[in-house]
Amino acid sequence: MTETDENGYRVVRNDEEQYSIWRADRELPAGWQAEGTEGTRQECLDHIAAVWTDMRPLSLRRRMAAS
């Protein structure tokens, strides 16, 4: 893995509050926004593990709360 591969990732999130990582040098795919965290691949994955504690999509959480 080159240094470019190891550095230059960002955390992205969609409207359902699902997280992923994306190369910082690439345009974001439709429906995803930069969450604000950037770093190495592992730093981004560690951040996601810390903040994404409920894997259920936002729409499901809302439906369950309304029941």
Side-chain angles (χ1 to χ4, degrees):
M1 185 175 295
T2 67
E3 184 165 328
T4 303
D5 290 338
E6 184 55 27
N7 294 308
Y9 285 86
R10 67 179 68 172
V11 175
V12 295
R13 184 176 60 206
N14 66 19
D15 292 339
E16 287 286 346
E17 295 185 353
Q18 297 168 310
Y19 289 80
S20 188
I21 62 171
W22 197 254
R23 291 287 306 265
D25 61 348
R26 295 188 180 161
E27 187 174 327
L28 294 179
W32 292 84
Q33 303 85 36
E35 176 265 3
T37 302
E38 294 189 12
T40 66
R41 181 178 186 277
Q42 191 60 53
E43 288 169 337
C44 289
L45 291 172
D46 290 345
H47 176 73
I48 290 171
V51 299
W52 193 15
T53 58
D54 189 342
M55 302 294 248
R56 297 173 300 163
L58 179 60
S59 58
L60 175 60
R61 294 191 315 252
R62 286 180 176 161
R63 276 195 310 258
M64 292 178 78
S67 303

